[in-house]
Amino acid sequence: MGDKETIVVIGAGVVGLSTALQIQQHLTASQSILIVAREFPNTTSINYTSPWAGAHYRPSPGTSAQAIREADQCRRTYDRFKRIAAEEPASSIKFLEGIEHLEAPPPEYLDATSRKVAYGHLERYRELSRDELPEGVKWGTRYWSWTLNSPVYCAHLLRKFILKGGQTKEYTVTNLLEAFELASNVKTVVNCSGTGFNDPKSFIIRGQTCLVRNPCSVTLTRQLADGSWSFCIPRPLDGGTVIGGTKQPHNWDPIPSPETRAQLLENASKWFLFTPESGGKFDVIRDIVGRRPAREGGMRIEVEKVGKDSNKTIVHAYGAGGRGFELSWGVAEDVTLLMLENRLLHARASL
């Protein structure tokens, strides 16, 4: 590599891979890029969240600064996914109808302004009339959403990164300063580690889902009267259907709970669109447990100067929680823009 400057991206989850690809478009001849990660898409680990994800787009209305920022990042990711789906069938991204049925809609769903921020960009969006709602449902909507096969999509991103000249290194980073020593002439480290490094605002949210063979032609989310959520997400390219799901903050249990599986399937069986040959029963492939890397207040996306005379830069991009895929390209664009503004990259015509 000689004296080439190496930009190091920590983490090969969906945010790390997307960000590395976005940065790659702006590299000069004197720069190279290296992804350093504990796990890559060919491995499975409970702490490597992306390949476990159900991975579909369901907007999340709200009026907080975090909700508005995330809605913008989701919109840009939606637009990028439309292009990728059209141009790269191997990505596994598929656009299909998304349906939501809420039995006890929170106030932000009933507020026209927060709904517009979250749902306004969606194609084919319409709210359901009262006579279209199933029994017990108070609010519902249909729109054009996307889903993808998460392990296939992550492998697709990594393959593109390598074909464009990117390097990879399997290594467990324990301190961010370590990353500056993992290649020659590292001045910038991009921290897409998911949970950050000892950030007191970071925490994990345990999620348990169930992968079944039953096909489904839509992504359908049902909020129950007690506030819990039940959903089905078809995985394109013959990946089955994900039935979910739980959100358990600070729960480190790695073992799937049989009781949780039974509850998930029982909830979903009441509204799931079974095809005739399934006889109204789920055909289970396996249970899935993952740890969503969440952070109070949402993702940390900012620049930090470190080292002697502040001659080294860390760009933070972690804490997406359960929205890594939904936010991924918006975050990648925001990180790249920060790097351009701080002259860590140089503007080039986008490829």
Side-chain angles (χ1 to χ4, degrees), residues 9-14 16-17 35-52 154 158 168-173 192-193 291:
V9 175
I10 300 174
V14 67
L17 292 167
I35 294 178
V36 175
R38 186 182 54 210
E39 291 101 9
F40 282 91
N42 63 322
T43 58
T44 55
S45 156
I46 189 170
N47 294 311
Y48 179 45
T49 311
S50 291
W52 301 114
C154 290
L158 179 61
T168 63
K169 182 181 183 69
E170 196 174 305
Y171 184 83
T172 302
V173 177
C192 299
S193 59
R291 291 174 179 154

Side-chain angles (χ1 to χ4, degrees), residues 9-85:
V9 175
I10 300 174
V14 67
V15 170
L17 292 167
S18 308
T19 301
L21 276 165
Q22 188 74 14
I23 291 168
Q24 212 169 19
Q25 294 187 15
H26 293 274
L27 297 180
T28 61
S30 62
Q31 291 176 309
S32 65
I33 185 163
L34 169 71
I35 294 178
V36 175
R38 186 182 54 210
E39 291 101 9
F40 282 91
N42 63 322
T43 58
T44 55
S45 156
I46 189 170
N47 294 311
Y48 179 45
T49 311
S50 291
W52 301 114
H56 71 138
Y57 181 31
R58 185 177 71 79
S60 182
T63 52
S64 68
Q66 178 188 346
I68 292 165
R69 182 177 69 244
E70 288 185 0
D72 175 60
Q73 291 165 335
C74 285
R75 176 184 55 77
R76 287 181 279 144
T77 303
Y78 184 88
D79 291 342
R80 178 75 72 100
F81 275 179
K82 278 196 288 193
R83 297 208 299 275
I84 296 173

Side-chain angles (χ1 to χ4, degrees), residues 17-18 20-22 24-25 33 35 41 80 83-85 87-91 93 152-168 329 351:
L17 292 167
S18 308
L21 276 165
Q22 188 74 14
Q24 212 169 19
Q25 294 187 15
I33 185 163
I35 294 178
R80 178 75 72 100
R83 297 208 299 275
I84 296 173
E87 296 166 9
E88 303 168 33
S91 69
I93 296 169
V152 171
Y153 179 68
C154 290
H156 175 74
L157 294 184
L158 179 61
R159 188 163 62 243
K160 282 184 64 168
F161 173 77
I162 290 168
L163 285 172
K164 289 172 183 282
Q167 305 285 315
T168 63
W329 286 109
L351 298 180

Side-chain angles (χ1 to χ4, degrees), residues 46-47 52 204 206-208 251-257 287-291:
I46 189 170
N47 294 311
W52 301 114
I204 58 113
R206 180 185 186 274
Q208 181 172 331
N251 183 325
W252 288 87
D253 185 356
I255 309 298
S257 151
D287 299 299
I288 296 173
V289 172
R291 291 174 179 154

Side-chain angles (χ1 to χ4, degrees), residues 11 19 28 46 82 85 112 132 140 163 195 212 214-215 263-264 320 336 349:
T19 301
T28 61
I46 189 170
K82 278 196 288 193
E132 292 177 285
L163 285 172
T195 51
V212 299
N214 306 65
Q263 188 67 59
L264 293 177
T336 304

Side-chain angles (χ1 to χ4, degrees), residues 13 16 32 38 59 61 92 119 126 135 147 159 179 184 200 203 211 232 235 270 287 296 307 327 341:
S32 65
R38 186 182 54 210
S92 85
Y119 292 94
R126 69 181 186 86
E135 191 180 342
T147 182
R159 188 163 62 243
S184 63
F203 62 99
L211 186 65
C232 69
R235 272 189 168 176
K270 294 169 188 168
D287 299 299
E296 291 167 27
L327 302 171
E341 288 170 350

